[in-house]
Amino acid sequence: CCRCSPTDLFAILKCTEKLERAYVRDGINAKDYEAQCEKLIAQFRMLWGSMKETVRRLDTLCVCLC
């Protein structure tokens, strides 16, 4: 995935955070929440797998991009 960047990983993390917030506030039902979580996890795994050599630790990624 040569067009992927660390910002793509960060965007998935931020989307997951916002999705969780919406679920806690009853802004999304459990079925939709689970489906979206599965989609984000799959996207994250694909990106992380292709970028492990570039981005070794997520905590440093988040500090750099925040």
Side-chain angles (χ1 to χ4, degrees):
C1 183
C2 58
R3 294 177 53 198
C4 299
S5 74
T7 55
D8 295 322
L9 282 175
F10 186 73
I12 291 172
L13 293 174
K14 294 304 286 183
C15 285
T16 303
E17 190 176 274
K18 294 204 182 285
L19 179 64
E20 288 177 351
R21 194 172 299 138
Y23 179 69
V24 168
R25 294 178 179 164
D26 290 328
I28 187 171
N29 66 43
K31 183 179 177 182
D32 291 337
Y33 171 77
E34 288 180 27
Q36 291 303 314
C37 280
E38 288 176 9
K39 181 179 176 181
L40 288 167
I41 289 168
Q43 290 172 339
F44 179 85
R45 286 182 177 160
M46 189 228 15
L47 284 173
W48 182 249
S50 68
M51 299 182 75
K52 276 186 178 176
E53 297 302 315
T54 307
V55 180
R56 296 187 187 272
R57 294 181 46 181
L58 289 179
D59 58 340
T60 56
L61 169 73
C62 291
V63 168
C64 291
L65 295 175
C66 282

